[in-house]
């Protein structure tokens, strides 16, 4: 690794933060009806970091077992969720969603995320590959269907063509067809727990905001 490459990697988060700050300042200054999704900076940065790390590990695992095509698909999603890709995601949100209520996810998605969180916590406590395989046989179909409920809500929420919808559609396909959740549970159940905890909080916040808007 060269010093130039290392320095470039250390500076990457700084490139992402100004855009996030801009989005948050704009959204937080809007009237109550203007936006149903106000996201704390810490949650955004944690979400991006955990997602990129987990998907990169899944891509490496798929490549190690010889599935180059599946690894490339997940690596592409990870690139969209990297700090560099987050510029496009942030601009897409600012352009299409920051000044309007985001519908489609809320309390139902928060409930689904809570169920997935419990499943990920249970899977993370398994110690042997035999236990993991048995758990997957018993629970994976339910886990996949629960995740699909969240992703269907996000498809409705991010209805405009752009990077956000592209990420959701790619993840949706991987969950439904590519056994992405199985790979995530096997290589990083703890990271998946962290992602789901953030998602549950975001969905709960969107639900509360939507309720307040409907009362105005």
């Amino acid at each position: 690794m060269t010093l130039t490459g290392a320095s470039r990697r250390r500076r990457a988060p700084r490139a992402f933060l100004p855009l996030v700050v801009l989005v948050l300042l704009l959204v937080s200054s809007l009237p109550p009806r203007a936006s149903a999704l106000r996201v704390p900076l810490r949650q955004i940065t944690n979400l991006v970091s955990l997602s990129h790390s987990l998907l990169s590990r899944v891509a490496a695992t798929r490549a190690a077992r010889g599935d180059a095509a599946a690894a490339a698909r997940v690596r592409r999603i990870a690139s969209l969720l990297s700090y560099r890709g987050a510029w496009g995601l942030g601009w897409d949100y600012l352009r299409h969603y920051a000044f309007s209520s985001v519908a489609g996810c809320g309390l139902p998605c928060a409930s689904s995320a809570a169920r997935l969180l419990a499943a990920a916590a249970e899977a993370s406590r398994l110690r042997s590959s035999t236990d993991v395989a048995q758990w997957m046989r018993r629970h994976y179909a339910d886990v996949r269907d629960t995740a699909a409920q969240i992703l269907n809500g996000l498809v409705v929420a991010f209805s405009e063509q752009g990077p956000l919808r592209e990420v959701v559609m790619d993840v949706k396909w991987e969950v439904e067809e590519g056994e992405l959740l199985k790979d995530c549970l096997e290589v990083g159940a703890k990271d998946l727990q962290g992602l789901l905890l953030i998602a549950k909080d975001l969905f709960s916040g969107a639900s509360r905001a939507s309720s307040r808007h409907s009362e105005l």
Side-chain angles (χ1 to χ4, degrees):
M1 180 186 298
T2 65
L3 292 178
T4 301
S7 174
R8 190 172 298 147
R9 272 189 283 276
R10 283 196 297 270
R11 288 197 299 268
R14 298 179 196 167
F16 169 65
L17 292 178
L19 177 64
V20 175
V21 172
L22 173 62
V23 171
L24 293 174
L25 287 174
L26 287 170
V27 173
S28 63
S29 66
L30 300 177
R33 285 183 179 273
S35 177
L37 189 60
R38 300 185 183 190
V39 186
L41 177 60
R42 182 182 297 275
Q43 287 184 312
I44 281 287
T45 53
N46 287 344
L47 188 68
V48 170
S49 177
L50 281 172
S51 298
H52 183 264
S53 173
L54 180 57
L55 290 174
S56 296
R57 289 163 64 192
V58 168
T61 299
R62 289 181 172 187
R65 67 185 183 219
D67 196 343
R73 292 197 309 267
V74 175
R75 198 174 291 115
R76 178 179 175 277
I77 300 172
S79 71
L80 291 172
L81 292 168
S82 66
Y83 286 109
R84 180 178 297 177
W87 281 92
L89 297 177
W91 174 249
D92 189 29
Y93 175 81
L94 182 61
R95 180 184 179 191
H96 290 125
Y97 308 107
F99 299 95
S100 63
S101 293
V102 178
C105 263
L107 188 57
C109 286
S111 298
S112 296
R115 293 197 298 274
L116 283 180
L117 183 59
E122 183 178 344
S124 71
R125 292 192 291 269
L126 301 174
R127 291 291 176 261
S128 71
S129 57
T130 300
D131 289 341
V132 171
Q134 291 175 348
W135 189 92
M136 290 289 186
R137 282 195 295 271
R138 290 196 303 270
H139 301 292
Y140 186 70
D142 290 337
V143 169
R144 182 193 58 218
D145 292 345
T146 302
Q149 292 171 8
I150 296 176
L151 290 163
N152 287 335
L154 289 173
V155 168
V156 175
F158 298 123
S159 57
E160 300 291 338
Q161 291 298 325
L164 284 168
R165 185 175 177 84
E166 184 179 348
V167 167
V168 172
M169 296 301 292
D170 286 350
V171 172
K172 185 173 185 294
W173 190 94
E174 285 294 334
V175 166
E176 294 176 350
E177 305 292 338
E179 297 191 333
L180 176 62
L181 276 176
K182 182 178 291 186
D183 289 336
C184 289
L185 287 166
E186 289 178 349
V187 306
K190 288 290 187 182
D191 283 349
L192 185 59
Q193 281 181 258
L195 286 173
L196 290 169
L197 184 59
I198 296 171
K200 181 173 71 68
D201 290 344
L202 293 178
F203 294 140
S204 297
S207 177
R208 288 191 297 270
S210 296
S211 298
R212 288 195 298 269
H213 295 164
S214 64
E215 293 171 359
L216 295 176

